[in-house]
Amino acid sequence: MGSATGVDAMTGVASDVADLEQYRTELTGYCYRMLGSAFEAEDAVQDTMVRAWRSFEKFEGRSSVRSWLYRIATNVCLDALNAGNRRARPMDLTAPTPVAQAQLNSRPEVTWLEPVPDGRVLPSVADPAEAAVAKETVRLAFVAALQHLPPKQRAVLILREVLAWKASEVAELLGTSVASVNSALQRARATLAESEPAKTDTADPLDEEQKKLLDRYVAAFEGYDMAALTALLHEDATLSMPPYDLWLRGHDDITGWMLGVGEVCRGSRLVPVVANGTPAFAHYHPDPDGGFSPWALMVIEIVDGKVSGITSFLDVKRWFPLFDLPERLEA
C-alpha cells in the first residue's frame, strides 16, 4: 500500500509540473516584451516556475493557475526592471552617422534589445488573426517602444492590449483598482503615440512578393551587388550593428559602409531563419581556413515591398546557439 501511495504522489507531482510547463512559451513571450532580452526572459520564467513550484501547495485556486503564474512573472520582471534595466536599439541612443564619419563604439551587452526566435515566445494558435497580432507585438520596433514605458505601465499595456486581459483581471493581478489600470493604460498609449513604432511586415507567412524580395536580397548580398541591393532598400532604410552604437540611414550610406569597412563581408552566405516575427538570416562570413564561420544574426524589416531596416546582431556566440544554427558552413 505504501508503494501505491508513493506512485500516486509522484503522479500528482508530474501532473503539477505539466500544469506549469504548458505556460512556459507564453510566459517567455510576456517576459521578453517586458524585459527586451531573450536570456533575461528565460531566466525570469525559470525563476517564476521555481517560485510557483515551491509554493504550489499554498495555491488556493482563487484564480486560475495561468493568472497565478502571470502574477509571479510580473513581480519577477518588475523586480528586474526596478534595478534600472532598459534595453534599446542604436537608434534610441544616438543620431544616424554619415558613413564618412562612421566609427565603431561598443557598448555593454546589457544596453541592447535582443533578438528572439519565434518558437521561444509565440505559442501555437489556430486563429491566423491571433497569430498575426502575436508576431506584430514581438517585432524589434514594438518591443523597443515598450522599453520607453515605466515598468507597471508596460505590464498593463502588454496584459490589456497584447494578451487581451480584462481591466478587472489586470487590477487583481497587480493588486490595484480598475480605475488605476485604465489610467495607466491611457498614459502608456499616449507615450507610445508620441514615438509610434514603425510598421513592419511580419512573416505570417510571407506572401509571394515578400519571398521574391528576400530571394533578390540574398542574391544581391551574397553577390555583393550594391546596385541590386540599393534597388531593394527604401531611401531612408537603416542599418545597425549591436553591440556597436553606430547606425546608418539611407541606402547611399549603407552601401558606402558595405564597400568600405563592410567589405570584409564580400563572399558571405545567408541562411534564412525567423526572429521577432520577421524574416531574418544567419550571416556566415568567409573563413580563411575554408568554409564559412558565424558573423551576425541579420533581422530584416520590410515595408511596402522594400527593406526598411537591417539589424545585424554581431554577438554570434550568444545568438547562433539560441537559434539552433550550425557553428559553421562548409564550402
Side-chain angles (χ1 to χ4, degrees), residues 84-100:
N85 299 345
R86 182 173 82 83
R87 300 278 177 161
R89 298 189 301 168
M91 47 282 291
D92 299 321
L93 303 177
T94 65
T97 305
V99 69

Side-chain angles (χ1 to χ4, degrees), residues 2-331:
S3 176
T5 303
V7 169
D8 289 344
M10 291 181 66
T11 302
V13 168
S15 176
D16 292 345
V17 171
D19 283 345
L20 301 182
E21 281 298 320
Q22 67 178 305
Y23 300 107
R24 183 177 289 273
T25 301
E26 65 174 283
L27 285 169
T28 305
Y30 173 60
C31 293
Y32 174 71
R33 294 177 182 99
M34 285 289 289
L35 303 173
S37 162
F39 294 104
E40 286 184 4
E42 293 198 343
D43 287 346
V45 173
Q46 190 58 31
D47 191 0
T48 297
M49 293 297 186
V50 169
R51 293 188 192 189
W53 173 241
R54 286 176 176 166
S55 57
F56 201 84
E57 290 182 359
K58 298 177 184 177
F59 175 58
E60 297 174 354
R62 286 192 295 243
S63 63
S64 68
V65 170
R66 181 171 182 259
S67 298
W68 179 59
L69 287 172
Y70 269 91
R71 182 182 298 117
I72 298 171
T74 300
N75 289 332
V76 170
C77 289
L78 292 178
D79 287 346
L81 292 167
N82 287 335
N85 299 345
R86 182 173 82 83
R87 300 278 177 161
R89 298 189 301 168
M91 47 282 291
D92 299 321
L93 303 177
T94 65
T97 305
V99 69
Q101 302 167 22
Q103 292 183 329
L104 293 174
N105 301 308
S106 179
R107 296 203 188 193
E109 171 269 316
V110 293
T111 305
W112 303 115
L113 182 71
E114 296 179 351
V116 70
D118 283 16
R120 300 225 178 192
V121 293
L122 298 177
S124 298
V125 292
D127 184 354
E130 190 178 335
V133 169
K135 287 176 181 289
E136 174 75 17
T137 60
V138 293
R139 291 184 304 114
L140 289 174
F142 184 82
V143 179
L146 289 175
Q147 307 305 300
H148 293 283
L149 300 175
K152 282 201 174 178
Q153 284 185 31
R154 198 181 309 178
V156 168
L157 184 94
I158 296 168
L159 290 166
R160 291 281 285 116
E161 304 269 282
V162 177
L163 301 176
W165 285 43
K166 297 175 182 176
S168 57
E169 293 172 329
V170 178
E172 184 180 351
L173 182 146
L174 293 175
T176 187
S177 67
V178 170
S180 177
V181 166
N182 289 335
S183 175
L185 180 60
Q186 191 173 8
R187 293 197 303 275
R189 283 172 174 166
T191 300
L192 283 190
E194 290 173 5
S195 55
E196 188 172 355
K199 296 294 182 185
T200 311
D201 294 348
T202 53
D204 190 39
L206 295 172
D207 61 32
E208 285 306 312
E209 289 304 311
Q210 291 169 327
K211 290 177 183 175
K212 289 177 183 176
L213 172 67
L214 291 172
D215 286 345
R216 290 164 61 201
Y217 179 86
V218 170
F221 193 92
E222 292 187 347
Y224 232 65
D225 183 341
M226 293 301 110
L229 187 63
T230 296
L232 305 176
L233 300 175
H234 279 282
E235 284 190 18
D236 61 350
T238 61
L239 170 66
S240 59
M241 296 161 283
Y244 300 112
D245 57 15
L246 168 74
W247 66 283
L248 304 162
R249 171 179 279 154
H251 49 53
D252 289 344
D253 276 351
I254 291 173
T255 55
W257 171 268
M258 292 181 68
L259 291 171
V261 176
E263 181 75 25
V264 293
C265 292
R266 187 182 289 274
S268 292
R269 293 289 178 267
L270 301 183
V271 175
V273 293
V274 178
N276 294 81
T278 58
F281 295 100
H283 175 185
Y284 289 85
H285 192 267
D287 192 318
D289 297 327
F292 301 87
S293 54
W295 186 258
L297 181 79
M298 182 187 290
V299 181
I300 304 294
E301 293 165 281
I302 301 172
V303 175
D304 297 332
K306 285 195 171 184
V307 174
S308 61
I310 305 167
T311 307
S312 286
F313 293 94
L314 299 177
D315 190 357
V316 292
K317 288 184 179 178
R318 303 181 80 223
W319 307 130
F320 276 47
L322 183 68
F323 282 77
D324 295 322
L325 289 161
E327 293 182 5
R328 61 181 291 106
L329 297 181
E330 298 307 320

